[in-house]
Amino acid sequence: MIKDVAAPGNAGILSFIQALNTYKINQIISSVARPFSRFSTEGKLGIFGVICIILMAVFAPVITMYPPQKITGDSLEAPGPGHILGTDELGMDIWSQICYGARMSLTIGLAVAFAAGFGGGAIGILAGYMGGHIDQALMRVIDVTMALPSFPLLIVISAFLGPSILNIIFVLVLFSWAKPARIARSQTLALKKNNYIIAARNYGATPFYLLRKHIFPEVLPVLFVLVIGISSHAIIAEAGLAFLGLGDPTSKSWGMMLNHATGFRSIYFTPYWQWWLLPPLLMLIFLLLCLAFISRDMERILDPKLKIKKGF
């Protein structure tokens, strides 16, 4: 009898939990779909392309048949059932190198973007809020950093430090933090003059509270756009350094693939360039185009002034 009485109650609880879970799932889907719908067709294609490259990098051991650094075929074997994109001069599978090379490009791009974008942004916010000699000293360092020719110095410093992933990330961060710091500083100088910031300071709000609650959330959308731009610059800079032979020779990257392919004598007089040189080059162009489309749409969505000025 007790079980019969409790059964309707349990059924009601289960139905309530199911309804609550359905509501949460619908809420999550709507929160994701709402900003995604604001992207243009090119932006949506860019997001889809970046997701595909990320999945290719994550599931590289699953979607490839051979390790990228193992000789698994004849030298310069043409594309076929055994090797989708053929092999290089040593007999290594090019499709495996493409998939594992995506890991290198994404790792370096994200590491440099987050370290330089958010790190430089945090430095710029602190300097803009504090002002005084600290702000002036930072501005002089930023002016010098932005005035230096970045890529020639990247080549010199990379050659001096030696070929290593950590050295490449360090060098790229060294020349990428100045722009986010300068933009974040200018945004902070404008924000701290607002009436609500002044009122909160007069009522005893600490600098840490103002930075955490008011200034940093306002500057964060601008930093997100800069992070995507920095990641594009980092990916192409790493590919350029690897192409010049300054990349990490122990890791497979698209730039190192281009370096080995162009270093092969008379490659342009043979059909080998079709499956050895084109795939990494096209993958680089595709990834950079996807990031450019996403950056353009994010700038349009997150910056209301740009939205009004361009009439979107």
Side-chain angles (χ1 to χ4, degrees):
M1 184 67 181
I2 296 175
K3 292 182 179 180
D4 295 338
V5 173
N10 292 334
I13 293 173
L14 289 175
S15 63
F16 174 75
I17 293 174
Q18 291 175 355
L20 185 62
N21 290 335
T22 304
Y23 172 75
K24 287 183 177 180
I25 293 173
N26 292 333
Q27 192 176 18
I28 292 172
I29 293 174
S30 62
S31 63
V32 173
R34 193 180 302 113
F36 181 76
S37 63
R38 300 174 65 183
F39 279 82
S40 64
T41 304
E42 295 85 357
K44 293 176 182 177
L45 291 176
I47 294 174
F48 178 75
V50 171
I51 291 174
C52 289
I53 293 176
I54 292 174
L55 292 176
M56 183 176 69
V58 172
F59 296 103
V62 179
I63 61 177
T64 58
M65 295 183 290
Y66 311 105
Q69 297 177 338
K70 186 177 180 180
I71 298 175
T72 56
D74 297 331
S75 176
L76 296 170
E77 185 177 336
H83 300 278
I84 301 174
L85 295 179
T87 61
D88 60 9
E89 85 280 15
L90 297 177
M92 299 178 182
D93 187 67
I94 293 178
W95 169 245
S96 298
Q97 296 180 42
I98 290 290
C99 294
Y100 283 89
R103 291 183 172 185
M104 178 65 62
S105 296
L106 292 174
T107 299
I108 291 179
L110 291 176
V112 173
F114 278 93
F118 292 112
I123 293 173
I125 290 172
L126 289 175
Y129 183 82
M130 295 177 66
H133 296 293
I134 297 177
D135 184 33
Q136 294 299 320
L138 178 69
M139 284 304 300
R140 301 293 77 79
V141 174
I142 290 176
D143 291 339
V144 172
T145 304
M146 296 186 71
L148 293 174
S150 59
F151 197 72
L153 286 176
L154 281 175
I155 296 174
V156 173
I157 297 176
S158 298
F160 177 76
L161 294 177
S164 171
I165 297 175
L166 293 178
N167 290 341
I168 292 173
I169 293 175
F170 170 74
V171 172
L172 292 174
V173 170
L174 187 64
F175 287 95
S176 302
W177 70 274
K179 185 177 179 180
R182 187 168 194 169
I183 293 177
R185 173 188 173 272
S186 63
Q187 293 283 327
T188 304
L189 291 175
L191 286 171
K192 73 176 186 178
K193 296 178 182 179
N194 291 335
N195 294 329
Y196 66 92
I197 299 287
I198 298 172
R201 191 187 303 118
N202 292 335
Y203 277 103
T206 61
F208 178 75
Y209 177 85
L210 292 174
L211 291 172
R212 180 172 59 90
K213 285 290 186 179
H214 297 292
I215 295 178
F216 188 73
E218 293 288 337
V219 183
L220 191 60
V222 180
L223 293 180
F224 270 123
V225 178
L226 291 173
V227 161
I228 298 177
I230 293 172
S231 63
S232 301
H233 175 265
I235 289 171
I236 195 64
E238 183 275 332
L241 292 175
F243 175 76
L244 295 174
L246 298 175
D248 189 355
T250 62
S251 61
K252 289 295 181 181
S253 68
W254 295 339
M256 290 300 297
M257 293 180 67
L258 293 174
N259 174 265
H260 294 322
T262 53
F264 186 78
R265 287 188 176 183
S266 305
I267 187 173
Y268 299 108
F269 300 99
T270 63
Y272 306 147
W273 63 271
Q274 299 176 13
W275 65 81
W276 191 8
L277 184 64
L278 279 184
L281 183 62
L282 293 177
M283 288 301 297
L284 269 174
I285 295 173
F286 177 71
L287 178 57
L288 293 175
L289 280 176
C290 290
L291 291 174
F293 290 147
I294 295 172
S295 176
R296 187 196 64 177
D297 278 10
M298 283 190 65
E299 186 177 4
R300 176 178 57 85
I301 292 169
L302 296 176
D303 192 349
K305 295 179 181 178
L306 182 68
K307 188 175 179 181
I308 294 172
K309 184 168 61 176
K310 291 191 175 182
F312 286 93

